[in-house]
Amino acid sequence: MGLVILRNDDLVNRWKKVLQHAAPDIPIYAMGEEVPHEAILMAAVWKHPPGSLSAFPNLKGIHCLGAGVDFILEDKGIPEELPVMRVVDPFLASDMAEYVLSQVMAFLKDLHRYKQDQVSGRWHPRPYRRIGDVTVGIMGLGTLGRSVAELLLKSGISTVGWTRDSDPDVDFPNFRGDAHRNAFLEQSDILVCLLPLTPDTRGILDYNLLSRLPGGALLINVARGPLLVDEDLIRALDEGLLSGACLDVFHKEPLPASHPFWNHPHVHMTPHVASVSDPDSVAPQIIDNYRRLTEGRPLKNEVSRERGY
Ligand code: GLV
């Protein structure tokens, strides 16, 4: 028996330490180490090299180290019957809410533009907006979307939500399905995207959608890069339909140096840090699912392959 951590970054050893501490009885291996492939029953993965899971013939399940499992479901080398689990964690939810609130406030108070003014030595006061001046629209009302809505509402910010097809069961105004998408977009001075990346949502943030937002709107994409059509965003910004975009996620990460986002004055970027799994908080649920898997008990936070999240 054993659990392998597959992630190609320098956090792999921290995860190993924390998981091992949470379960001294389970052999835990990190990518790059000598791993007894036959003994591995579960892989805990984050952006693993595609195809690498086929090296473990006795694998019984895959645990994502984050919330979004798109990169696992896209790995066609993984047998369909292997269960995939994702992280649901209070910090992952509250960190996302804090990040979005920060970007909303920075937009209202023009903080990104003042930073640019400072860099170019320009003194240029602008009229500022208040919380009561805008409505934030959240696309995707899963755990993260609902957490963001909760903090925004608590901060007095008018918030509406949209889901593709599920009943969000929330107590703030929300819209459902393609038929009501434009009505939702037309109210969203700030659009926050927290949809899962699936074949149905890839490219959903296109010119057609962006042009339905009120003039001068802000886009905040904190979900996955491929939800956005990059060229369409640049067009919408250059035509003045949108006044800015805060992007934490990209088609390719790190974003290639030649990408036009780097130098676009209205694109504000962070390097996929809006909300990052905290090993100390998350390790117990991974170990719990490992034990459930090996004891044949029902798993927690199992992903539906059909829905894609
Ligand atoms: C972060 O992007 C996550 O999916 O947890």
Side-chain angles (χ1 to χ4, degrees), residues 48 50-55 62 72-80 82:
H48 64 285
S52 55
L53 287 156
S54 57
I62 302 167
I72 301 176
L73 302 189
E74 280 166 12
D75 182 347
K76 296 298 168 217
I78 299 177
E80 290 272 313
L82 272 194

Side-chain angles (χ1 to χ4, degrees), residues 37-207:
H37 290 87
E38 260 106 63
I40 298 301
L41 301 182
M42 185 195 259
V45 304
W46 181 251
K47 309 259 173 97
H48 64 285
S52 55
L53 287 156
S54 57
F56 306 100
N58 297 317
L59 204 60
K60 296 207 165 6
I62 302 167
H63 211 303
C64 183
L65 287 171
V69 296
D70 45 288
F71 67 97
I72 301 176
L73 302 189
E74 280 166 12
D75 182 347
K76 296 298 168 217
I78 299 177
E80 290 272 313
E81 64 279 5
L82 272 194
V84 175
M85 295 142 274
R86 69 194 186 98
V87 168
V88 176
D89 174 66
F91 283 120
L92 211 51
S94 61
D95 291 351
M96 182 58 82
E98 290 177 16
Y99 178 95
V100 171
L101 178 62
S102 314
Q103 292 292 15
V104 168
M105 293 312 301
F107 174 66
L108 294 181
K109 305 303 170 191
D110 267 325
L111 301 187
H112 294 300
R113 288 207 273 176
Y114 287 128
K115 184 67 210 173
Q116 286 164 350
D117 289 350
Q118 183 187 343
V119 170
S120 52
R122 207 156 77 107
W123 182 271
H124 178 55
R126 302 176 175 86
Y128 52 73
R129 282 154 295 192
R130 300 192 174 99
I131 275 178
D133 294 337
V134 289
T135 294
V136 177
I138 302 177
M139 294 185 90
L141 296 175
T143 319
L144 300 184
R146 277 182 280 126
S147 166
V148 170
E150 195 187 329
L151 183 60
L152 296 180
L153 289 163
K154 225 190 274 170
S155 311
I157 300 173
S158 156
T159 302
V160 296
W162 181 80
T163 50
R164 285 187 61 249
D165 48 19
S166 55
D167 180 1
D169 188 25
V170 293
D171 56 6
F172 57 88
N174 61 87
F175 300 80
R176 182 173 163 182
D178 289 340
H180 301 284
R181 200 175 81 173
N182 287 343
F184 159 77
L185 293 169
E186 279 156 20
Q187 297 190 23
S188 302
D189 302 297
I190 300 175
L191 181 69
V192 179
C193 182
L194 270 165
L195 290 168
L197 177 63
T198 69
D200 292 333
T201 61
R202 183 173 287 270
I204 192 170
L205 301 173
D206 61 5
Y207 185 81

Side-chain angles (χ1 to χ4, degrees), residues 2-48:
L3 184 155
V4 68
I5 307 158
L6 300 180
R7 57 182 299 152
N8 208 358
D9 62 17
D10 47 15
L11 285 178
V12 70
N13 290 323
R14 165 124 179 82
W15 275 99
K16 175 174 168 168
K17 198 166 153 221
V18 175
L19 285 165
Q20 193 67 86
H21 183 74
D25 58 313
I26 301 173
I28 313 265
Y29 303 91
M31 187 163 140
E33 288 178 346
E34 183 123 349
V35 182
H37 290 87
E38 260 106 63
I40 298 301
L41 301 182
M42 185 195 259
V45 304
W46 181 251
K47 309 259 173 97
H48 64 285

